[in-house]
Amino acid sequence: MADIISHPFDRLGQAGASAGEPPVSGEIRYELIELLFFAYRDFVGEADSVLAEFGFWRAHHRVLHFVYRNPGIRVAELLAILKITKQSLGRVLKELVDKDFIEQRQGSADKRQRLLYTTDKGQALATRLAEIQNQRIGGALSGLGPDGADLARRFLTGLVDAGERSDVARLTGDRSDR
């Protein structure tokens, strides 16, 4: 009896509509679902390796990213963006503060507010991670032609819950780096 050796990916993508065709009513777009899983895996994978150098995980990356991009963000605003519990954010934030990647300041008008800022060390790490991910995005967009970035933006926006799209658009809108 002969041994059959197969690659784990050999069975993938054998059913469902192709990526370029609209789905038939009730048809599941397995190819796109799986591509999104693989794209996410690889998009965060390189950043994960860098984060591991500091003992950090993806939650640290998300917090660092949004604090870097929104200096002076309130903890309540960060909770709303990340949709995580106060306890989860507290643990991650404590580590980032203790290791001098983020600093907390009191609000000037309301002393109870905690405003978050990246330190120089935090800005350096946030930039390093963004450069890694930007390179991957640039490579993917390079084969899509002049409208590629706009098509990708529209596709990704379409994946966001409809009720949140205006908030996400405001948050991700064209802003100069700070």
Side-chain angles (χ1 to χ4, degrees):
M1 185 163 167
D3 288 347
I4 299 175
I5 300 172
S6 67
H7 191 278
F9 292 170
D10 286 348
R11 294 176 307 281
L12 296 179
Q14 294 177 0
S18 70
E21 302 170 10
V24 175
S25 180
E27 186 174 8
I28 298 174
R29 302 294 298 260
Y30 285 109
E31 180 183 14
L32 291 177
I33 292 167
E34 290 162 355
L35 281 170
L36 193 54
F37 282 129
F38 289 122
Y40 177 74
R41 175 199 67 191
D42 295 344
F43 179 72
V44 298
E46 291 169 300
D48 286 349
S49 298
V50 172
L51 291 163
E53 296 171 20
F54 300 92
F56 293 156
W57 299 95
R58 290 178 187 165
H60 297 89
H61 184 184
R62 288 188 294 268
V63 169
L64 186 63
H65 173 84
F66 284 106
V67 171
Y68 173 66
R69 294 290 291 156
N70 301 278
I73 190 170
R74 295 184 342 242
V75 170
E77 292 170 318
L78 191 55
L79 282 168
I81 289 169
L82 299 175
K83 293 191 176 199
I84 60 176
T85 66
K86 200 172 191 177
Q87 182 180 2
S88 294
L89 177 59
R91 179 186 52 79
V92 169
L93 196 52
K94 181 179 180 346
E95 289 179 66
L96 289 165
V97 169
D98 288 350
K99 292 184 177 183
D100 194 37
F101 287 88
I102 289 179
E103 65 179 348
Q104 298 180 73
R105 301 178 195 162
Q106 274 187 338
S108 57
D110 184 349
K111 302 293 183 201
R112 295 170 297 174
Q113 284 184 335
R114 290 189 299 160
L115 307 179
L116 305 173
Y117 297 85
T118 50
T119 63
D120 290 343
K121 188 174 167 182
Q123 290 172 17
L125 179 56
T127 301
R128 181 177 172 196
L129 295 169
E131 287 170 348
I132 290 168
Q133 292 182 321
N134 189 58
Q135 189 171 9
R136 181 169 289 276
I137 289 170
L141 290 175
S142 68
L144 296 181
D147 296 331
D150 184 55
L151 289 172
R153 187 178 302 105
R154 288 182 14 223
F155 172 76
L156 293 171
T157 299
L159 291 176
V160 174
D161 287 341
E164 302 224 353
R165 288 182 189 153
S166 61
D167 290 336
V168 169
R170 222 177 0 267
L171 188 66
T172 63
D174 185 37
R175 298 172 291 172
S176 62
D177 287 327
R178 303 174 225 266

